[in-house]
Amino acid sequence: HPFPFSANNFVVIEGKGVVSMDKIRVGHEVLSKGNTFERVYGFGHRDESKLAIFLQLLPSKIELSPEHMIFVQDKGFLPASNVKAGDRLSDGSEVERILKVVRRGVYAPFTPSGTIVVNYVVASNYISLQNSRSLQVGSIEIPLSYQWLCHSFQTLHRIWCHWLGVSDKVLENGFSSWSYSAYRAVVWLLKQHLTVVLVLLSPTLVLLTMLACFESVILYHLSGVVVIVVVFVLWQSRKTKQNI
């Protein structure tokens, strides 16, 4: 299984400053894309004893698994295995060298935006399952990025943990039950015949789009909707009094 970040990375936690990746806990507000702080609502994977291979991008020294995605200027979110020397990360720094390192401890924090700033560069919360930026079905490249797919697939999990505040179940291997089940389901799907993939993928994409729209319109803008409703009720009440 892919393992996202090593403990050798650092993040910025509101009220605590710069801390190592292994210090992150659910509830911490961490710096993410757009220079904003977001609450960590869970972990896709957290195992302090697990040995894993990571790619270290220099000079930022960010360490992430080959499948884990990172933001590259002019290219968007790419799996680390696709990053090349000369690519520029979110802070404008140019990747000079890429090393393979072995570290103990794996960490995959989740934020509402699906992003997190690690070693001062923007990285994703998610992985690519096909060593590519976008979904591949047979020889067909579907114009949907893995960043969007994974973030949309996380919608129910995000609503459950972030919006409703329910704790996620963690398995013995350090994976969250939701993430592990979703990972196995998608891996199984991508191994099936092209016809099976297309038949099952089409309704899934429609559902993901609906969930993403629901979260964006209803939840993220809920405060705005509430304000509009309150203003409307007050206006109607005032109009009624005037008519009396």
Side-chain angles (χ1 to χ4, degrees):
H1 306 292
F3 307 107
F5 298 109
S6 78
N8 282 38
N9 296 297
F10 61 82
V11 296
V12 180
I13 297 179
E14 190 171 34
K16 294 180 179 291
V18 177
V19 301
S20 60
M21 180 68 71
D22 59 328
K23 298 296 191 298
I24 297 181
R25 298 291 184 270
V26 172
H28 279 162
E29 299 279 337
V30 297
L31 191 63
S32 60
K33 187 179 180 181
N35 220 26
T36 59
F37 286 93
E38 294 187 300
R39 178 180 176 272
V40 174
Y41 67 83
F43 284 83
H45 193 196
R46 182 187 177 94
D47 189 336
E48 298 179 357
S49 62
K50 182 70 179 180
L51 275 176
I53 297 175
F54 299 93
L55 297 181
Q56 183 189 75
L57 309 185
L58 299 174
S60 69
K61 294 186 178 180
I62 185 172
E63 296 179 359
L64 62 173
S65 69
E67 301 87 354
H68 201 85
M69 293 186 291
I70 184 170
F71 184 80
V72 176
Q73 291 187 10
D74 301 322
K75 295 182 179 180
F77 286 96
L78 300 179
S81 59
N82 284 12
V83 177
K84 309 296 181 185
D87 283 342
R88 291 189 178 277
L89 305 182
S90 64
D91 65 346
S93 64
E94 184 175 298
V95 177
E96 297 175 359
R97 286 195 301 158
I98 302 174
L99 306 176
K100 280 188 178 182
V101 296
V102 177
R103 306 294 189 203
R104 186 177 298 279
V106 296
Y107 306 87
F110 283 144
T111 63
S113 71
T115 67
I116 184 171
V117 172
V118 180
N119 291 23
Y120 298 123
V121 296
V122 175
S124 172
N125 289 174
Y126 312 121
I127 62 172
S128 167
L129 295 176
Q130 296 176 304
N131 191 36
S132 62
R133 177 183 180 276
S134 56
L135 179 65
Q136 310 283 326
V137 179
S139 59
I140 304 172
E141 181 175 348
I142 308 297
L144 293 173
S145 71
Y146 263 106
Q147 178 67 17
W148 182 87
L149 286 168
C150 292
H151 194 61
S152 298
F153 209 93
Q154 274 287 116
T155 302
L156 287 177
H157 186 222
R158 195 162 48 249
I159 291 173
W160 185 251
C161 295
H162 176 63
W163 296 106
L164 300 181
V166 181
S167 299
D168 195 9
K169 179 181 178 182
V170 180
L171 304 177
E172 291 183 1
N173 57 11
F175 284 92
S176 78
S177 57
W178 172 272
S179 299
Y180 191 63
S181 299
Y183 171 78
R184 294 186 63 181
V186 175
V187 169
W188 174 86
L189 176 62
L190 294 176
K191 290 179 179 179
Q192 305 310 304
H193 187 274
L194 178 60
T195 304
V196 177
V197 174
L198 292 177
V199 168
L200 294 179
L201 188 61
S202 299
T204 300
L205 292 178
V206 172
L207 177 60
L208 291 179
T209 302
M210 292 174 62
L211 287 173
C213 291
F214 170 79
E215 182 183 35
S216 177
V217 175
I218 303 300
L219 297 180
Y220 275 108
H221 301 290
L222 183 60
S223 58
V225 173
V226 170
V227 170
I228 292 174
V229 171
V230 170
V231 170
F232 177 76
V233 170
L234 291 175
W235 178 76
Q236 286 284 42
S237 176
R238 183 178 178 182
K239 186 177 178 181
T240 302
K241 289 180 180 179
Q242 289 176 344
N243 291 335
I244 295 175

